[in-house]
Amino acid sequence: MNEQIIEEQKEYIEKVKELNKDKTLYYNILTMGCQLNENDSEKLAGMLEEMGYIETSDVENANLYLINTCCVRENAEEKLFGKLGELKNLKKKNNAIIAIGGCMMQEKHIQEKLRNSYPYVDIIFGTHTLHKLPEDMYKILNFPKKIEDILDIDGEIYEGIPIKRNSNKTASVTIMYGCNNFCSYCIVPYVRGRERSRTPENILKEIQELADEGYKEITLLGQNVNSYKGRENYGFAELLRDVQKIDGIEIIKFISPHPKDFTDDVIRAIKDCNKISRLIHLPLQSGSTEVLKKMNRKYSKEQFLELVGKIKKEIPNVLFSTDIIVGFPGETEEDFQDTLDVVTKVNFEQIFMFIYSRRVGTPGDKMENQIPEEIKHERFDRLKELFEKQVEENNKKYIGKTEKILVEGLSKTNEDMLTGRTNSNKVVVFEGSKDLIGKVIDVQITSEHKWYLKGKIIE
Ligand code: 5AD
Ligand code: SF4
């Protein structure tokens, strides 16, 4: 049935293309939030290109502005409403279409606000109706009347949506949608619906096609990748092993796993598959067992450390990155010390740090003992300081080592140099010919500069 729905959308693509055939029309997409949203925007761009629109970074000249929103933290709301203020003037100038989609549109209070205060927004669509952009576009072009296309459902999977990728070397492949975990701070389960996995056949076909097109690195995406369930007896470990077998793909990454689902078979699969990156993203969120319980994370400080120990033992050269939230309701100084303790013990390569942001509709928002802003910021700064010291120490360990690097392009700050990333995601710059872009090569690290490393190519 979903195939039929996508077929219908393809017919709408043709109809819009026909309507626009004598015009040169430009679109501009602003994407907020995580890599899943980036991947969704690649699909939105794919559909728009097939409808005859051309991408532009020049906002002033766009005929269609599309904003793909996030709602994980409050600052995204400020960003959206700020942007809409700017677009109001631009709309007056060239009568462009304004479309907003994604996670934030699933929130009732945002829908209300847009209805009441932003009448010039033409199309509003949610996370479950992204594939219907062609139909929405067709309708707005024919009958200029505001469209709201939002569903509050568990969610479906739609295959075969056209896609325009941001890179021709690295690609993201969404393997599952939604989340069933209901961490008490998080809005995602309310806006992205329940967990649902794509079939292994569809995922492997997409990756095979990417390999055939010359892509070298792929990132498997999902809100909780290790609860991937392709079918009976086929989970994330089996999928990793099958992706490993695809010739042409040289680097495999995945985000994000949940520590509670990091089973032994997944650890063994990573160990056995040499293409899988040895930098594992393992979201900690808090180092305090008490806070973790309130967050509904389903592991303790000790269980997290045990898991890290087990993975390090099985895969000796493994490194970790993580997400940490500071200032969750009720977090005491002692709880925060536990977070610093885990950070010291694990020695993460990368930490994505967040100040707790109250989200309407989540249990965390209703909890007592919300932490004052100044304490949240002060803890954030202390965590950052500890992490920066660790980065400095860790960088020294790279000097003299040889790293396998996918050459991504020219360095942004020095066009005579090439740039790429180590397995641990550190930026490396080095001299070399442009012909190497897109190739995987060996680079020896010669010096460290806090946020990047320098190296030389090993012939
Ligand atoms: N406040 C702050 N950070 C949050 N995250 C999710 N929800 C919130 C929130 N309400 C962080 C988590 C998650 C990452 C994607 O965003 O650390 O892993
Ligand atoms: Fe949010 Fe937790 Fe689901 Fe991640 S696992 S999306 S943090 S509810």
Side-chain angles (χ1 to χ4, degrees):
M1 183 176 141
N2 289 354
E3 281 128 53
Q4 200 189 326
I5 292 173
I6 293 301
E7 282 312 311
E8 276 167 25
Q9 294 306 315
K10 289 193 174 151
E11 287 169 22
Y12 279 112
I13 287 181
E14 291 309 316
K15 287 187 196 168
V16 174
K17 202 167 153 184
E18 182 61 27
L19 280 178
N20 287 339
K21 73 173 186 291
D22 299 320
K23 304 179 190 130
T24 309
L25 297 168
Y26 294 96
Y27 71 96
N28 176 274
I29 302 189
L30 169 68
T31 307
M32 300 174 180
C34 66
Q35 286 196 46
L36 277 149
N37 251 18
E38 292 282 348
N39 193 230
D40 281 349
S41 285
E42 292 183 323
K43 292 177 191 158
L44 292 165
M47 291 185 274
L48 287 171
E49 298 263 332
E50 296 218 346
M51 286 186 261
Y53 287 84
I54 302 164
E55 190 167 18
T56 178
S57 54
D58 179 9
V59 182
E60 295 271 332
N61 280 324
N63 305 92
L64 167 70
Y65 307 108
L66 208 161
I67 308 179
N68 188 9
T69 62
C70 164
C71 58
V72 165
R73 284 169 295 275
E74 194 179 357
N75 51 10
E77 282 170 30
E78 288 153 26
K79 192 169 168 189
L80 173 69
F81 293 114
K83 188 77 196 168
L84 283 178
E86 273 172 49
L87 292 184
K88 186 177 184 179
N89 296 330
L90 286 171
K91 186 172 171 97
K92 271 190 206 138
K93 200 181 118 195
N94 55 359
N95 197 27
I97 295 169
I98 301 182
I100 321 178
C103 293
M104 213 193 288
M105 297 307 112
Q106 296 291 137
E107 295 185 287
K108 294 271 181 302
H109 68 282
I110 299 286
Q111 295 167 11
E112 285 282 298
K113 190 166 172 176
L114 285 169
R115 241 174 254 140
N116 297 335
S117 311
Y118 297 86
Y120 54 92
V121 172
D122 300 292
I123 302 174
I124 301 174
F125 60 92
T127 54
H128 302 297
T129 41
L130 168 142
H131 61 284
K132 283 174 69 195
L133 182 69
E135 183 175 340
D136 294 339
M137 287 295 294
Y138 179 72
K139 287 184 179 159
I140 205 81
L141 289 169
N142 277 297
F143 333 95
K145 183 171 170 291
K146 191 180 186 105
I147 296 172
E148 265 191 42
D149 196 359
I150 301 167
L151 292 175
D152 192 7
I153 52 170
D154 285 350
E156 297 278 337
I157 294 178
Y158 295 97
E159 295 290 345
I161 301 176
I163 187 157
K164 178 180 182 255
R165 306 222 175 237
N166 292 333
S167 155
N168 55 10
K169 298 166 206 78
T170 65
S172 299
V173 176
T174 301
I175 62 165
M176 50 95 62
Y177 299 88
C179 181
N180 293 351
N181 289 323
F182 292 93
C183 299
S184 60
Y185 50 81
C186 186
I187 192 79
V188 167
Y190 305 91
V191 297
R192 286 212 171 245
R194 298 289 68 75
E195 281 175 8
R196 50 213 186 271
S197 298
R198 292 176 69 196
T199 65
E201 291 72 23
N202 282 331
I203 297 169
L204 295 168
K205 184 167 154 266
E206 181 176 345
I207 301 174
Q208 182 63 60
E209 283 166 8
L210 288 166
D212 295 343
E213 285 170 42
Y215 284 86
K216 297 277 185 288
E217 177 183 307
I218 56 134
T219 302
L220 306 175
L221 297 180
Q223 234 73 49
N224 190 3
V225 281
N226 48 355
S227 27
Y228 172 79
K229 198 157 179 35
R231 55 172 174 264
E232 209 51 40
N233 299 321
Y234 191 107
F236 189 53
E238 288 71 28
L239 182 67
L240 286 175
R241 288 181 190 276
D242 278 345
V243 178
Q244 162 81 17
K245 290 183 204 141
I246 298 180
D247 284 340
I249 298 298
E250 297 187 38
I251 302 170
I252 305 165
K253 297 179 176 177
F254 56 85
I255 49 167
S256 283
H258 194 303
K260 78 173 166 58
D261 300 317
F262 220 106
T263 45
D264 290 348
D265 62 338
V266 171
I267 302 177
R268 271 195 305 274
I270 300 171
K271 182 178 178 177
D272 292 344
C273 299
N274 67 341
K275 295 178 182 174
I276 300 177
S277 164
R278 264 41 187 162
L279 176 71
I280 296 179
H281 186 67
L282 198 62
L284 168 66
Q285 312 299 3
S286 167
S288 151
T289 299
E290 203 48 44
V291 173
L292 287 167
K293 205 184 271 164
K294 288 186 198 142
M295 286 178 161
N296 192 28
R297 290 291 290 174
K298 301 194 174 79
Y299 53 86
S300 63
K301 173 185 183 185
E302 289 69 30
Q303 282 167 330
F304 186 91
L305 287 170
E306 256 169 53
L307 175 63
V308 166
K310 186 155 78 174
I311 301 174
K312 278 186 177 166
K313 193 162 152 247
E314 286 292 319
I315 311 164
N317 54 347
V318 77
L319 299 162
F320 294 95
S321 61
T322 199
D323 291 347
I324 295 177
I325 298 175
V326 297
F328 185 75
E331 184 189 70
T332 61
E333 175 59 28
E334 206 183 346
D335 291 324
F336 179 63
Q337 288 297 335
D338 273 329
T339 298
L340 295 182
D341 186 43
V342 176
V343 169
T344 309
K345 288 191 168 120
V346 179
N347 194 12
F348 295 105
E349 279 298 305
Q350 228 173 335
I351 305 182
F352 299 92
M353 298 172 205
F354 306 106
I355 289 176
Y356 172 67
S357 171
R358 292 174 79 159
R359 303 287 68 209
V360 176
T362 61
D365 186 41
K366 297 185 199 85
M367 287 181 188
E368 286 171 13
N369 295 325
Q370 298 287 332
I371 305 296
E373 286 303 313
E374 64 272 17
I375 298 185
K376 287 190 202 169
H377 280 94
E378 183 256 340
R379 286 184 188 158
F380 183 89
D381 291 344
R382 276 153 69 202
L383 174 61
K384 193 159 156 250
E385 199 181 317
L386 171 65
F387 174 60
E388 286 186 1
K389 270 197 209 122
Q390 287 185 338
V391 170
E392 244 169 81
E393 280 309 304
N394 285 337
N395 277 355
K396 288 183 195 148
K397 288 187 225 142
Y398 284 90
I399 296 173
K401 276 198 183 153
T402 299
E403 296 277 334
K404 189 170 86 165
I405 283 174
L406 168 63
V407 186
E408 288 171 11
L410 300 177
S411 160
K412 283 201 187 88
T413 47
N414 181 350
E415 294 234 326
D416 298 331
M417 305 284 270
L418 296 172
T419 175
R421 278 165 200 274
T422 63
N423 177 17
S424 55
N425 217 26
K426 288 223 180 283
V427 174
V428 184
V429 293
F430 44 92
E431 269 178 37
S433 138
K434 279 185 196 167
D435 307 344
L436 293 172
I437 295 173
K439 299 212 165 73
V440 177
I441 57 164
D442 283 335
V443 175
Q444 188 180 43
I445 307 303
T446 49
S447 61
E448 61 96 5
H449 306 261
K450 195 159 182 182
W451 299 120
Y452 71 99
L453 305 168
K454 263 191 185 162
K456 64 169 195 267
I457 297 173
I458 305 283
E459 300 300 335

